[in-house]
Amino acid sequence: MQTLVASSFQPFHQTHRQPLKLVVLGDSLIYGFGDPEGGGWVERLRRQWMLPDSPGHVLYNLGVRGDGVKQVQERVEQEFRHRGELKNRVPDAIILSVGVNDSARLGRPNGRNYTEFGTFQAELENLLDQAQRLCPVFFVGMVPVDEVKMPFLDCFYYNHADQYSYKEATRIACQGRQIPYLDIFDTWKARGTDWCLKQLCSDGLHPNVAGYKALLQDVLNWQALSELATPSLATA
């Protein structure tokens, strides 16, 4: 998991004269909580793109711990508009990752969801539509939690059934808008329970160092990441 695939960067070298600028918005999965070594998958990728032989793309980590879809929706345009650089030109793309906090049950395993499912669907659709009006959008899904370790902070009960419902709503909403969606939940679950548990912190919610390394590799292997660097998106 520690070795990055060199070919993942080739499309950037081949099709761009100027580096891309990307804003990455979401929750603690974007912020990188749980990875004291590398700062999470976004920070690891940002550092990789700063190396002398890298494409030199710019990543803005705009993850906020605890954010749900409503909070990300409220700040997406302002965050986007304030990351212009280079004669105030706006970023080339937005990467979103949100939803796990919305799925949490409050107070007890069968309590109400932090964001009621119908409300989540409506707010998610608003977020995607708003983001697409700004620039191309990409979505990285949530990781499966360790249900045995719940509740988180003695209050938030996460479970796979709710996670699946919220991530499927997200996947379908992205699909209907032709937004590339990286299904981390299903990808990780397919690797087995033992593997998944080894990628999580003791809180059962956040990836650990190994988990963020795995996440980075999943993102690097994502076809949409290569397609992101097509000439039609080169506005920097």
Side-chain angles (χ1 to χ4, degrees):
M1 290 296 178
Q2 298 183 35
T3 303
L4 299 181
V5 181
S7 61
S8 298
F9 299 108
Q10 293 305 311
F12 293 95
H13 286 298
Q14 294 169 358
T15 62
H16 267 85
R17 298 177 184 175
Q18 296 285 349
L20 289 169
K21 298 185 298 295
L22 294 85
V23 292
V24 193
L25 291 98
D27 49 34
S28 56
L29 193 68
I30 297 302
Y31 177 81
F33 184 80
D35 183 6
E37 292 183 11
W41 74 263
V42 178
E43 176 63 16
R44 288 174 180 272
L45 183 56
R46 187 186 73 86
R47 294 178 187 179
Q48 188 70 24
W49 279 348
M50 291 173 65
L51 295 174
D53 60 347
S54 78
H57 302 312
V58 178
L59 278 176
Y60 288 103
N61 186 331
L62 305 176
V64 176
R65 293 178 60 191
D67 261 13
V69 65
K70 180 179 180 181
Q71 289 76 31
V72 173
Q73 179 189 347
E74 288 173 346
R75 62 189 177 92
V76 61
E77 184 161 2
Q78 184 176 20
E79 298 274 31
F80 177 82
R81 299 292 183 191
H82 284 79
R83 299 304 186 285
E85 286 192 5
L86 304 178
K87 299 180 181 178
N88 295 319
R89 292 188 178 181
V90 295
D92 300 287
I94 294 172
I95 300 176
L96 299 171
S97 183
V98 70
V100 65
N101 292 320
D102 298 285
S103 74
R105 300 265 177 178
L106 302 180
R108 59 185 188 276
N110 62 345
R112 68 175 181 86
N113 294 106
Y114 181 84
T115 305
E116 188 271 329
F117 185 70
T119 301
F120 173 78
Q121 288 179 298
E123 291 181 341
L124 175 68
E125 291 176 0
N126 288 336
L127 168 62
L128 297 179
D129 291 341
Q130 183 180 5
Q132 276 196 307
R133 287 193 291 268
L134 300 173
C135 67
V137 180
F138 301 80
F139 206 108
V140 176
M142 65 181 78
V143 303
V145 303
D146 181 355
E147 296 174 307
V148 176
K149 297 292 181 64
M150 296 302 118
F152 177 69
L153 297 179
D154 297 321
C155 179
F156 299 100
Y157 290 81
Y158 296 85
N159 66 76
H160 290 172
D162 285 329
Q163 280 194 285
Y164 183 82
S165 295
Y166 281 65
K167 79 91 180 173
E168 274 295 284
T170 304
R171 183 187 64 79
I172 292 170
C174 287
Q175 184 180 50
R177 292 164 175 78
Q178 297 184 318
I179 293 174
Y181 177 81
L182 182 59
D183 196 332
I184 295 295
F185 184 86
D186 281 0
T187 298
W188 279 32
K189 289 273 285 182
R191 293 170 182 164
T193 300
D194 289 342
W195 184 91
C196 288
L197 296 181
K198 291 177 182 178
Q199 315 309 311
L200 297 175
C201 291
S202 58
D203 63 18
L205 178 60
H206 298 98
N208 55 26
V209 171
Y212 280 110
K213 288 179 179 179
L215 262 175
L216 174 60
Q217 197 63 53
D218 290 331
V219 171
L220 288 173
N221 292 337
W222 189 19
Q223 184 179 358
L225 183 68
S226 297
E227 295 175 349
L228 180 60
T230 59
S232 62
L233 292 181
T235 59

